Amino acid sequence: MKIKTKLNLGVGVLFMMIFVLSVLSGWYINQLKKDTNNILRANYNTLQYSRNMLLALEEIDSDPLAFSVFEKHLEQQRKNVTEPGEKEATDNVVFHFEALKKDSANFGLQTSIRKDLAELMQINMSAIEHKSTVADSTAKNAIIVISSTGMLCFIIAFILMVNLPSNIADPIKSLTESIKQIANQNYKERVHFESRSEFGDLATSFNTMAEKLQEYSESRLDKIIRGKKRIETLIDNMHDPVIGIDEDRKVLFVNDEALKITGLGKENFVGKLIQDVAVNNDLVRDIIRDVIVPDKMDPENEKEPMKIYADGKESYFEKEIVDINIVPTGEQQSRFIGQVIMLRNITPFKELDLAKTNFLGTVSHEFKTPISSIQMGLQLLENEQIGSLNDEQKNLVSGIREDSNRLLKITGELLNITQVESGLIQLNMKASDIKNIVDYAIGANRSSAEQKHIHFKISIEEGLSAVLADSEKTAWVLNNLLSNAIRYSYENSNINIDVRKIDDKIQFSVTDTGQGIDPQYLSKIFDRYFRVPGSKKEGTGLGLSISKEFIEAQGGEITVKSEYGAGSTFSFVLNT
Ligand code: ADP
């Protein structure tokens, strides 16, 4: 039933009952009024007239006016005959009074009149008694009917009071609860109300809405789950170990490769704090070191690959930590939500690199002996005692010497680089004579400097004599810097060699006034195999990188300053 109909019906019935109650009460009151009026008019007046007639009868002997008073009341009584038998009694009074008028001294007639009047009073008193009983029963009926109608009204009102509010409030409450459930994304929620009421329509609309929301969320969820599975499969099938953590460093996912190298099960990882996992696993501890203390990240160390036993052999991995930042919907600022740790397996490259280093080592080592014998042969050829050469032959021999020198330099550099690459730089650190180092380097470059008419200007700070260094390697570095300076200087220029003490270190500098280095290449100058584009043909691009390695292996530092077109200064510092 519709709520509106229910309300109309409830209030209508109540209204009807109140109306019936009012009509009944009015009717009964009216009835009672009629009864009492009847007694007053019909009987009470007769008693009054009879009493007055009796009083007049008492005065009849002494007062001549008493007859007229009696007659007046008798006349009124004759008009007020209402009860059965009252007419005969009144007629008797009239008859005897008429006789008394003629014979006023007749006591017998007076007595008869008294008797008639008593009869009259008796009739009316009986009538009063009867009517009073009737009124009494009318009153009783009124009480019963009115109170039962009132009771019915009360019951209906009570039923309405108990049922109507809950009839309206209960569905609203249940609907509110269901809306809350929907707001909490519980789209399975439904409401069931009586279908014929307004709430029934509301429930139908609500259920349709919930069903559509459920359908939408399930289709969206399905899409999300499929997307998640796809990404999980992708990560699992990656050949490199991957670990994902959230902003609290709780592990979100870990792929099979990562499980393989750490030797842990998924259950030891996923959902756990990565630092807790690291407590029992050295490898995980190594992997997450930069995650836990990012400030201590050492850029040199970062480049150093991690050595891990995997695939039944020693493998090399490069670690990369990617921060995941997202901009939440409706927000401006991006928020950090976790990190992905990736280990790139670089073992094949390492193996190739090692093969290359070994190859270079072997080849350059093998080259040394034939080059030495070529140089020995040249020496013999140049010896006048064996036989003199014509000018053309001398030119050929000097060309061969230059080439063999270059070959020797290259093989020397290649050998050095194999040492550097295999991490096996053997140092012989001792207090070395500075002058010897400088003299060696100058001696090695004298002839090439002379060819270009280049002068060396040497300045060694007074009092400086020794440096804590591997003299051979330091001399090699200085030699390399000098040979570069000569190579990239113009003819008839000067090269300054400067050795001085700065703080507690000793600085060697080689300054030339040559072509200088384009600023864009300065940062790459110490990289392996790097040569400034357009540089003279000879050279391997290894000299400066080997120099850097040699100086750093001794705890020193090498730097360059250059003004493009005006010259360069290469300096290195070593401990005293
Ligand atoms: P290379 O065997 O080519 O000399 P280096 O490592 O010694 O290799 O030098 C790398 C590059 O740096 C050179 O190719 C050259 O272009 C540049 N370079 C080195 N020294 C100087 C210098 N004194 N003046 C200008 N350029 C230089």
Side-chain angles (χ1 to χ4, degrees), residues 438 457-462 496-500 507 509:
V438 174
K457 282 193 174 174
I458 305 153
S459 101
I460 301 176
E461 196 180 303
E462 235 172 80
N496 292 329
I497 300 149
D498 186 79
V499 185
R500 64 178 64 228
Q507 186 193 56
S509 318

Side-chain angles (χ1 to χ4, degrees), residues 409 413 480-481 483-489 510 512 514-517 524-527 529-547 560 562 567-570:
K409 187 175 177 266
E413 282 183 356
N480 183 59
L481 294 183
S483 76
N484 275 351
I486 294 166
R487 209 182 315 162
Y488 300 108
S489 280
V510 175
D512 64 64
Q515 61 190 63
I517 302 160
K524 294 191 180 126
I525 213 91
F526 294 105
D527 288 355
Y529 303 106
F530 177 79
R531 307 193 68 232
V532 172
S535 289
K536 291 185 180 171
K537 269 186 191 149
E538 65 266 27
T540 53
L542 286 171
L544 285 178
S545 76
I546 295 169
S547 302
V560 59
S562 183
S568 321
T569 300
F570 283 87

Side-chain angles (χ1 to χ4, degrees), residues 264-323:
L264 294 171
K266 218 168 200 160
E267 66 284 357
N268 301 115
F269 258 115
V270 179
K272 300 229 158 71
L273 287 175
I274 190 96
Q275 53 265 47
D276 292 347
V277 181
V279 170
N280 299 316
N281 194 293
D282 293 346
L283 182 56
V284 178
R285 193 161 38 233
D286 263 9
I287 294 172
I288 65 158
R289 197 182 297 132
D290 306 331
V291 176
I292 303 294
V293 212
D295 292 344
K296 288 197 178 159
M297 220 160 40
D298 178 359
E300 288 299 314
N301 234 351
E302 180 72 354
K303 280 182 198 156
E304 200 59 43
M306 295 179 72
K307 229 190 261 180
I308 298 169
Y309 191 82
D311 298 332
K313 62 177 179 192
E314 201 158 67
S315 303
Y316 292 87
F317 290 88
E318 231 172 45
K319 179 169 59 181
E320 197 179 339
I321 298 170
V322 183
D323 284 354

